[in-house]
Amino acid sequence: MPRGLRNCNPGNIRLSSVRYAGEVQPSQDTAFKQFCSMAYGYRAVFVLLHSYIQRGFNTITRIINRYAPPSENSTNSYISTVVRRSGIGADTPVAPDDRNAMTAIVSAISFVENGREANKEDLEEGWRLYCQR
């Protein structure tokens, strides 16, 4: 099973001082956060992307360059996959309250990170939890 799914962290969010609802403390993983459920893991990705968008990283190109930098990833391939799977242009601005765009992007990120389709129920529950913030 992929690490992101084992950790209920479908976006493979790295350990940091930022604390998310549903985060398991301390993480048993030495590099990545763990969450109590996949829904809370998806919520964390939505929250993280929201913070990116608020800081001007509001397109798939900008989001993925920040989220998966070239120093650690094949960023251009990552961008291409997210664009193809989400159906959103690489340089199309995204709003953090656009449910269709955000869920499509997060679903695509989860696919890139884990090599498997996102579970729709978990993704939708993550969106619901994100909207309650």
Side-chain angles (χ1 to χ4, degrees):
M1 176 181 289
R3 189 179 203 172
L5 301 183
R6 282 194 316 269
N7 288 337
C8 292
N9 181 358
N12 280 322
I13 298 171
R14 291 196 173 274
L15 292 175
S16 70
S17 60
V18 175
R19 296 291 171 251
Y20 296 93
E23 185 177 344
V24 173
Q25 293 286 322
S27 176
Q28 299 302 302
D29 190 299
T30 59
F32 295 94
K33 292 181 177 286
Q34 291 180 306
F35 294 93
C36 64
S37 70
M38 287 299 288
Y40 274 102
Y42 281 116
R43 178 196 178 278
V45 180
F46 288 124
V47 169
L48 180 58
L49 296 190
H50 180 122
S51 74
Y52 286 179
I53 292 167
Q54 297 297 68
R55 291 183 284 164
F57 300 95
N58 64 341
T59 67
I60 289 174
T61 298
R62 290 178 181 161
I63 288 167
I64 301 304
N65 270 296
R66 173 77 177 95
Y67 191 87
S71 61
E72 300 175 10
N73 299 274
S74 176
T75 304
N76 288 334
S77 175
Y78 202 131
I79 291 167
S80 294
T81 301
V82 173
V83 165
R84 182 173 32 81
R85 293 186 68 85
S86 70
I88 299 167
D91 298 313
T92 301
V94 177
D97 61 346
D98 182 336
R99 179 179 192 228
N100 291 334
M102 291 287 281
T103 56
I105 292 168
V106 170
S107 178
I109 287 171
S110 179
F111 179 83
V112 172
E113 294 292 335
N114 300 290
R116 296 185 184 173
E117 296 292 332
N119 178 288
K120 284 247 190 243
E121 291 81 24
D122 290 334
L123 183 66
E124 292 297 324
E125 180 63 9
W127 178 259
R128 188 186 70 73
L129 292 166
Y130 162 72
C131 289
Q132 291 178 346
R133 66 189 188 291

